[in-house]
Amino acid sequence: MAHAAPATRPDRPPAVDVAANLAAVNAEVQEAAQAAGRSADQITLIAVCKGHPASLILPALAAGHVAFGENRVQEATEKWRALRADWPGAALHYIGALQTNKAREAVAVADAIHAIDRPKLANALAREMERQARRPDCFIQVNTGAEPQKAGALPENLDRLVAQCRDDLELPVVGLMCIPPAAEDPAPHFALLREFAACHGLECLSMGMSADYRVAIALGATHVRIGTAIFGARPAR
């Protein structure tokens, strides 16, 4: 008598070959860089592992990848405390909106913070960097689309914020970051961010995600933030 196949458990995601996905994305980054007349060595691929368990990050670490992205301070702290014990060379990029009351934890866990968008946060980070004697690289997030629901300094406030961060607080500002509006062509936003960075003498551009990183690379991205293409869809919280 034939038996019906067991139903697939809805809470069990399909297996993801992280190492193969990572190799494929690295190859595409290299191809996009060559098409833009650039070297792939100029581009840092941030593997965004937010929401994913440490077990899914291990294959990327074992494959030699070193740059990872998280967007929740508590999750990053808990996850990377153990991972860094075995993988001290890993670099953690904090890429989410950051509350001022999380500045202490962010400075403690992150090697780069892509989230400075207001003076109050800049002040909090400066205090913590002095207190902890840690100086993670800083990116100022720009709300290029002036979206009211999105974090990021408005373009008209950027000059003042850059001056405060670099001149008054002496933060290690290395570049700018943006997330274009989802319904718009990202190219004008990436071009605008590049223009802002050039005006301020900043070399790093954190822009481009799974859906648009090729465009970002063509327009000068130095850091691309890719999660789904490497780790698959995030599990429901």
Side-chain angles (χ1 to χ4, degrees), residues 36 73 123 172 213 220:
V73 174
N123 277 296
Y213 68 90

Side-chain angles (χ1 to χ4, degrees), residues 208-224:
M209 297 185 288
S210 290
D212 57 18
Y213 68 90
R214 285 178 170 270
V215 178
I217 289 172
L219 288 167
T222 60
H223 295 70
V224 293

Side-chain angles (χ1 to χ4, degrees), residues 82-170:
L83 287 171
R84 276 198 166 130
D86 295 325
W87 306 91
L92 183 63
H93 295 249
Y94 186 82
I95 60 172
L98 184 60
Q99 299 174 340
T100 54
N101 63 358
K102 298 294 185 180
R104 176 176 298 186
E105 292 92 335
V107 169
V109 72
D111 298 290
I113 297 172
H114 298 231
I116 300 178
D117 63 351
R118 59 198 186 279
K120 186 176 180 182
L121 177 58
N123 277 296
L125 290 171
R127 287 193 299 271
E128 284 304 321
M129 288 186 195
E130 182 176 3
R131 191 183 70 84
Q132 298 183 38
R134 287 197 88 238
R135 292 179 62 78
D137 288 343
C138 294
F139 291 75
I140 294 176
Q141 182 174 352
V142 185
N143 188 347
T144 56
E147 297 175 276
Q149 80 283 7
K150 187 174 288 183
L154 294 174
E156 60 265 29
N157 298 330
L158 182 59
D159 290 356
R160 189 181 314 119
L161 184 57
V162 171
Q164 180 197 18
C165 291
R166 289 201 304 195
D167 303 335
D168 300 341
L169 300 175
E170 298 183 345

Side-chain angles (χ1 to χ4, degrees), residues 22-48:
L22 181 62
V25 171
N26 270 315
E28 290 177 3
V29 167
Q30 184 169 358
E31 179 183 308
Q34 290 175 345
R38 304 177 61 198
S39 168
D41 293 340
Q42 299 173 304
I43 301 159
T44 297
L45 168 58
I46 300 172
V48 179

